[in-house]
Amino acid sequence: MFMISNIPTGRSSKHQPPAQRAAAQKTATQGASERRLVELCSMSVRDTLKELDTKAKEGLTTEEAEKRLDEYGANELAHAKRLGVVADLLERCKSPLVIQLLVIAIISGIVGETKSATIVGAMIILSVGLSFILDRRSGQAVEALGKRVQSRTLVLRDGEETEIRISDVVPGDIVLLMAGSIIPADVRLLSAKDFFVSQSALTGESMPVEKSALVDKEHEAGLSAWELPNACYLGSSVNSGSARAVVVNTGVRTLFGSISASLAEKPEETSFDKGTRSFTWLMIRFMLVMTAAVFMIVGMTKGNWVDALLFGLSIAVGLTPEMLPMIVTVNLAKGALTMAAKKVIIKRLPSIQNFGAIDILCTDKTGTLTQDKVVLEKYVDLTGRTSEDVLTYAYLNSHYQTGLRNLIDRAILDHTDMNVQLCRLVDELPFDFQRRRMSVVVDFEDDHVLICKGAVEEIYECCSHYQIGEEVFPLFDMIRDNLFEEVERHNRDGFRVLAIAYREFPREKTQFEVKDESQMILLGFIAFFDPPKAQASEALGLLQEAGVRVKVLTGDNGLVTQRVCTNVGLKADRMLTGAELSRISEDDFAQVVRDVDVFVKLSPAQKEQIVRSLRASGHVVGFLGDGINDAPALKAADVGISVDSGVDVAKETADIVLLEKSLLVLEEGIMEGRRVFANIVKYIRMGASSNFGNMFSVMGASYLLPFLPMQPVQILANNLLYDFSQTGIPTDRVDPELVAKPLKWNIENIKRFMFCVGPISSLFDYATFALMWYVFGCAAYNAPGVTALQQEGLAKLFQTGWFVESLLTQTLIVHIIRTRRIPFFGSSASLPMTLTTLLIMGIGAWLPYSPFASALNLVPLPPVYWVWIIGFLLTYSILTHFVKTWFFNRFGGD
């Protein structure tokens, strides 16, 4: 045997850099895990179990499982780990906004402006510190909420079937897999029946792959770990069939763990992230142009380039929306916690904005429009008479199937309690969405009886005879016509009808295939009723009022769906079946999908196709589903929405999980998402317009005045106080009319708002300049005989006057922009927001008379100044309100 350590490498591993050494160790670990999986899959089942020290029928003991959990760690991937405190803070400091502030603080310190450096440092701490603290708290809260909907798996522990969290799975566990299950780790199959697995997330294969427990050493020689026919991998899911498997690798040792480095990176940028980034860079571009222009103007007109640099840097700080990360974080976190109280669990925070932006909601029918409490109403033969044989065979089918029991199966089992001890399960043909039926084979009355249950059309095509009482007759066309007329009548009455058929085989036959579902005897029908939800009509009305169009995408019967839709007030005059949809040309597909609201008998691929088409048409699409067949559409939607009772693969794919499957709950979540986004836009509109107005004010004053219009330390203090005043925005109330329709990012509209409202603040800045220059005597600065000391006093008086007016108008404007009501005070802000703005306005008025005045180079203002300023504030509020009203009437609020 050759030892790897004996192979010369030219460099000892101990001299490698830590990062390189860690990467090498990780690669070695992954290689060993793959080799172990290949090795165990090439063994017999008996040898595999012996190697893993476990038992097929008993599994691990609880004590042994706990030991292995300590040894191997939780079954989680690296991307689930949270950044440490230091790493998190450093990551936040990489923001272009924070980097800009850090550079300004360093330059200020280098040139000796310690006051300016201290204030900028305080702003960094306020922005990064608040964002860090609140984000960590909200992250922990959202993580705790997420655990309420954590996927689970079925394992054998102490010989009993036990449901545990996937994170608690350990090597050696015996897992039971069925349709809808998530593969919880890398496993080796011990037994499998018609077992098909979706590996699209790993390999990109769109079609399910059939897996078997058999070992074919001749063909498996040289296969990679990814090609093993008797292995399944973490990250895949079960489409159909059932299986029993033993866990080989967990967590980072899985094959999925070997490619999880990409998952550990930042997730794909959402439309919300793109909108935030676009606004940030818009303001940075304005800031760069403004800073350069002010630096040149002040330097050339005043002749002091150091002061020009400090003043330009201060202006850069004043134009930077440094509180944006904190505002966004707090709003999203608050929204997630509020939604949790309304039974809506947010798995990914940025999805809140997309949730509020939904304008089309695609949903299934069962459990959403109906009560999700199916009741078995009828079990009849082909003549319509009640048949105990039909009930018995239906019961045996539902009792012995090992796959995922749906509402239909539970309704059958709840209807009666039969003694099935005389029967024994021989084999099973699990349900799939192509056949639309499932069969069990039981040892019953000296025969092996295949009992098939499924959609009437599919069952009928597999039957050659029918049975009435004890007599069996051949099927012919007249029977078919009468049969389907009766089924259609039941469908129109809101009943879902399934057929029951059977075929007897000799006991010698023990292995069965789908082709054995032929030449069957049609025994009769079972009819179920799932009544509409009492609140469905109300919820649909609320969604319509909120600008959300509801489309029903179901695999169910058209007549049943039409009856349910009619009962809940949803128009179903025009419906399309999956077959009809498949015949529509690509050119017409998008238009048809937009026009039609009810689609029936759809395949999973068609649901996904409809969702993608709607998104391509510019709609923000939410998809609500909880079944295996909903997973592709959930992934394709802007917002995938599942429910806590849904199958694992649906919950894992979804962005949002509802603890209650109700359109009313969903409507409340959508409205909360809009409120979150509306509060973020308040800060953005206010900051953009205020900063744009300041640009004109500073440039004009820098050119016209013989001194700086405001000292750098004053600009920084002004901005610090202004930032603090905005911390109450996430708690603010939102007017119902603001969230009456879907809200989306519209940077162009924000620019227009900035150009329209921004100059108003500049107008009152110039009015303040005139007030201080002409009314309060600052014009004497250039008068003959005025000493340098007197000039300094006049400059400080001017700067104090603008400092106070600028802070008061900037802080006040949020109360005008936050609402579109006329008058604006018809909408009241939240108490925290009111208190923060009043506090900062009070501090701004107090500072010129405070002990801090000398440190900030402020001087007391004449009493009459306050009369003028009150007049300015009133006029400013009225003018801004009218311009804002005109803007929204002219351009809308999107």
Side-chain angles (χ1 to χ4, degrees):
M1 180 182 292
F2 293 97
M3 301 299 292
I4 295 177
S5 59
N6 292 334
I7 300 175
T9 61
R11 184 179 184 183
S12 174
S13 62
K14 67 180 179 180
H15 297 300
Q16 291 178 318
Q20 186 176 341
R21 211 160 52 236
Q25 290 170 354
K26 180 179 179 183
T27 301
T29 300
Q30 292 165 355
S33 299
E34 291 185 22
R35 288 193 298 272
R36 181 167 175 76
L37 182 62
V38 173
E39 180 185 354
L40 292 177
C41 287
S42 64
M43 296 179 179
S44 66
V45 169
R46 182 178 179 180
D47 290 341
T48 299
L49 294 172
K50 183 178 180 181
E51 181 70 21
L52 291 168
D53 192 16
T54 188
K55 298 178 181 179
K57 294 183 179 180
E58 289 82 20
L60 298 174
T61 64
T62 301
E63 182 181 359
E64 178 63 24
E66 290 175 353
K67 288 181 181 178
R68 296 191 186 190
L69 188 61
D70 291 335
E71 178 183 354
Y72 295 100
N75 183 30
E76 297 173 345
L77 297 179
H79 71 277
K81 294 181 179 178
R82 181 184 287 272
L83 286 175
V85 173
V86 176
D88 195 353
L89 288 171
L90 289 176
E91 185 67 27
R92 293 174 192 277
C93 289
K94 293 179 183 178
S95 163
L97 302 178
V98 176
I99 291 174
Q100 173 189 314
L101 293 178
L102 284 170
V103 171
I104 293 171
I106 292 170
I107 294 175
S108 299
I110 291 173
V111 300
E113 282 292 325
T114 55
K115 292 179 183 177
S116 298
T118 301
I119 293 176
V120 176
M123 296 172 67
I124 295 172
I125 293 173
L126 181 64
S127 176
V128 175
L130 278 176
S131 175
F132 169 78
I133 293 170
L134 295 171
D135 198 13
R136 298 286 283 197
R137 287 178 57 190
S138 64
Q140 291 169 358
V142 171
E143 186 177 333
L145 292 171
K147 289 180 179 178
R148 295 167 63 179
V149 293
Q150 191 177 53
S151 295
R152 305 178 78 86
T153 192
L154 200 60
V155 302
L156 290 179
R157 291 276 174 90
D158 301 312
E160 298 289 334
E161 293 186 7
T162 307
E163 191 176 56
I164 64 170
R165 293 180 302 179
I166 285 181
S167 59
D168 292 336
V169 169
V170 296
D173 262 327
I174 305 298
V175 294
L176 309 178
L177 303 170
M178 59 195 72
S181 298
I182 294 286
I183 304 295
D186 286 357
V187 302
R188 193 262 199 234
L189 294 178
L190 304 177
S191 62
K193 179 64 180 177
D194 298 312
F195 194 60
F196 287 83
V197 175
S198 173
Q199 299 182 160
S200 59
L202 300 172
T203 64
E205 297 173 276
S206 58
M207 296 299 293
V209 178
E210 185 172 13
K211 296 286 184 174
S212 167
L214 299 176
V215 178
D216 187 349
K217 293 187 177 181
E218 179 181 349
H219 292 92
E220 287 186 16
L223 290 182
S224 71
W226 290 103
E227 300 172 303
L228 297 169
N230 58 348
C232 297
Y233 318 107
L234 177 68
S236 53
S237 58
V238 183
N239 272 46
S240 61
S242 59
R244 181 172 294 207
V246 61
V247 174
V248 176
N249 296 321
T250 59
V252 294
R253 297 175 182 83
T254 61
L255 298 191
F256 195 22
S258 69
I259 59 173
S260 64
S262 60
L263 297 174
E265 298 171 358
K266 290 183 178 179
E268 184 179 350
E269 195 174 42
T270 65
S271 63
F272 177 80
D273 297 324
K274 292 176 183 177
T276 305
R277 178 174 51 80
S278 297
F279 170 73
T280 299
W281 284 106
L282 170 68
M283 298 311 299
I284 288 177
R285 287 195 294 271
F286 271 113
M287 178 272 298
L288 291 174
V289 172
M290 175 66 180
T291 302
V294 167
F295 172 69
M296 296 302 298
I297 291 172
V298 172
M300 290 188 292
T301 57
K302 311 301 182 293
N304 189 328
W305 290 97
V306 174
D307 285 350
L309 176 61
L310 291 173
F311 186 69
L313 293 176
S314 302
I315 293 303
V317 174
L319 295 176
T320 301
E322 63 272 1
M323 296 300 288
L324 181 59
M326 187 280 293
I327 294 290
V328 169
T329 297
V330 176
N331 270 288
L332 293 179
K334 177 179 176 294
L337 296 176
T338 302
M339 288 184 181
K342 297 178 180 180
K343 301 182 180 181
V344 179
I345 304 300
I346 305 297
K347 292 175 62 181
R348 303 174 184 92
L349 278 180
S351 64
I352 293 177
Q353 188 271 330
N354 285 337
F355 200 25
I358 289 174
D359 60 351
I360 290 182
L361 173 65
C362 298
T363 177
D364 60 0
K365 170 183 67 65
T366 304
T368 306
L369 303 180
T370 62
Q371 291 182 17
D372 209 6
K373 294 180 180 179
V374 176
V375 177
L376 176 61
E377 292 280 343
K378 299 179 180 180
Y379 36 95
V380 297
D381 60 21
L382 267 62
T383 65
R385 291 180 293 191
T386 298
S387 170
E388 292 298 326
D389 287 339
V390 171
L391 178 60
T392 299
Y393 276 63
Y395 187 93
L396 290 171
N397 179 282
S398 295
H399 177 81
Y400 280 110
Q401 71 147 310
T402 61
L404 191 69
R405 282 180 179 157
N406 57 25
L407 294 172
I408 296 293
D409 296 308
R410 290 198 290 269
I412 294 171
L413 298 177
D414 289 343
H415 183 81
T416 186
D417 186 14
M418 293 187 177
N419 183 2
V420 295
Q421 293 180 356
L422 298 178
C423 301
R424 177 179 60 85
L425 179 65
V426 176
D427 206 347
E428 180 180 11
L429 301 174
F431 178 87
D432 65 55
F433 293 98
Q434 284 71 44
R435 291 162 43 244
R436 298 180 67 210
R437 60 182 184 267
M438 70 84 52
S439 300
V440 298
V441 182
V442 297
D443 187 1
F444 181 56
E445 295 182 351
D446 298 326
D447 286 309
H448 283 173
V449 183
L450 183 149
I451 304 172
C452 188
K453 175 185 79 210
V456 175
E457 298 92 332
E458 278 69 14
I459 296 287
Y460 182 87
E461 296 300 326
C462 299
C463 292
S464 58
H465 294 74
Y466 71 96
Q467 180 172 326
I468 303 293
E470 300 295 328
E471 299 293 328
V472 176
F473 307 94
L475 276 174
F476 50 90
D477 290 342
M478 183 181 297
I479 293 290
R480 184 187 191 283
D481 294 340
N482 292 337
L483 164 66
F484 281 93
E485 283 181 12
E486 185 68 15
V487 171
E488 183 175 335
R489 184 179 66 80
H490 279 85
N491 289 159
R492 285 202 178 95
D493 291 337
F495 288 96
R496 181 176 181 181
V497 181
L498 297 180
I500 301 294
Y502 74 97
R503 181 181 175 184
E504 296 177 345
F505 293 89
R507 280 193 167 185
E508 289 73 20
K509 182 176 175 62
T510 57
Q511 297 292 326
F512 292 82
E513 302 175 31
V514 170
K515 65 182 181 181
D516 292 318
E517 294 176 329
S518 61
Q519 301 296 312
M520 293 190 295
I521 298 172
L522 183 59
L523 188 61
F525 306 98
I526 46 178
F528 305 85
F529 186 65
D530 186 6
K533 282 188 174 178
Q535 297 175 325
S537 297
E538 178 188 356
L540 288 170
L542 290 173
L543 286 169
Q544 185 176 7
E545 290 177 10
V548 179
R549 185 174 177 183
V550 177
K551 292 180 179 287
V552 176
L553 277 57
T554 179
D556 205 352
N557 180 283
L559 293 174
V560 173
T561 303
Q562 186 176 39
R563 177 62 179 263
V564 171
C565 290
T566 302
N567 288 342
V568 299
L570 190 65
K571 289 185 178 179
D573 299 333
R574 184 183 178 191
M575 291 189 304
L576 272 183
T577 66
E580 293 169 336
L581 198 64
S582 64
R583 294 193 291 268
I584 296 175
S585 67
E586 290 185 13
D587 296 336
D588 297 333
F589 188 88
Q591 184 63 45
V592 169
V593 166
R594 285 196 299 269
D595 292 343
V596 177
D597 286 339
V598 181
F599 299 87
V600 298
K601 301 191 76 172
L602 295 177
S603 68
Q606 287 176 320
K607 292 183 180 183
E608 178 185 11
Q609 187 181 12
I610 291 172
V611 169
R612 292 193 182 279
S613 177
L614 291 170
R615 288 189 65 190
S617 300
H619 295 284
V620 179
V621 183
F623 184 88
L624 172 59
D626 62 354
I628 314 162
N629 58 332
D630 295 321
L634 284 167
K635 187 174 183 180
D638 290 285
V639 184
I641 309 160
S642 190
V643 292
D644 191 25
S645 59
V647 298
D648 289 342
V649 68
K651 289 189 290 184
E652 285 294 314
T653 306
D655 303 295
I656 293 171
V657 177
L658 307 182
L659 299 182
E660 178 181 326
K661 193 173 183 180
S662 166
L663 289 179
L664 275 178
V665 171
L666 191 63
E667 188 269 342
E668 290 177 355
I670 288 174
M671 300 310 292
E672 184 61 33
R674 294 182 186 178
R675 283 188 282 270
V676 167
F677 186 62
N679 276 335
I680 292 174
V681 171
K682 285 177 189 177
Y683 173 80
I684 288 175
R685 281 198 173 124
M686 181 185 58
S689 58
S690 178
N691 289 348
F692 186 69
N694 287 339
M695 182 176 70
F696 288 110
S697 304
V698 171
M699 290 185 68
S702 300
Y703 177 75
L704 296 172
L705 296 173
F707 49 82
L708 293 178
M710 201 183 298
Q711 294 185 26
V713 69
Q714 294 169 344
I715 293 175
L716 296 174
N718 184 299
N719 201 53
L720 179 61
L721 290 169
Y722 166 72
D723 284 343
F724 185 81
S725 73
Q726 307 312 305
T727 57
I729 287 179
T731 68
D732 190 29
R733 301 186 185 96
V734 178
D735 296 333
E737 57 268 26
L738 283 178
V739 292
K741 62 178 181 177
L743 301 177
K744 304 176 185 178
W745 274 113
N746 190 335
I747 297 299
E748 290 301 317
N749 195 277
I750 290 173
K751 287 181 183 177
R752 285 194 292 265
F753 188 86
M754 181 173 68
F755 293 142
C756 291
V757 177
I760 300 175
S761 66
S762 185
L763 175 65
F764 283 88
D765 285 341
Y766 279 104
T768 303
F769 296 163
L771 175 71
M772 303 309 296
W773 191 259
Y774 295 110
V775 176
F776 293 106
C778 293
Y781 185 93
N782 292 324
V786 176
T787 66
L789 186 61
Q790 290 173 322
Q791 284 183 329
E792 183 182 351
L794 290 172
K796 287 183 177 179
L797 178 63
F798 184 98
Q799 293 161 349
T800 303
W802 189 33
F803 174 89
V804 172
E805 180 270 340
S806 175
L807 180 60
L808 296 186
T809 51
Q810 279 193 108
T811 306
L812 178 66
I813 193 175
V814 68
H815 289 276
I816 303 166
I817 290 176
R818 62 172 296 279
T819 181
R820 300 182 197 175
R821 290 185 179 176
I822 303 174
F824 65 85
F825 48 78
S827 172
S828 59
S830 67
L831 181 60
M833 182 174 171
T834 302
L835 291 177
T836 54
T837 51
L838 287 177
L839 175 64
I840 295 305
M841 291 177 74
I843 290 175
W846 169 74
L847 275 177
Y849 311 96
S850 73
F852 304 103
S854 59
L856 297 174
N857 295 321
L858 300 175
V859 296
L861 293 163
V864 71
Y865 169 86
W866 298 107
V867 178
W868 282 95
I869 286 300
I870 291 172
F872 281 5
L873 291 176
L874 290 174
T875 309
Y876 174 78
S877 300
I878 294 170
L879 182 58
T880 302
H881 175 70
F882 279 114
V883 171
K884 175 203 69 175
T885 303
W886 168 84
F887 174 86
F888 287 129
N889 289 336
R890 174 69 175 81
F891 298 108
D894 294 339

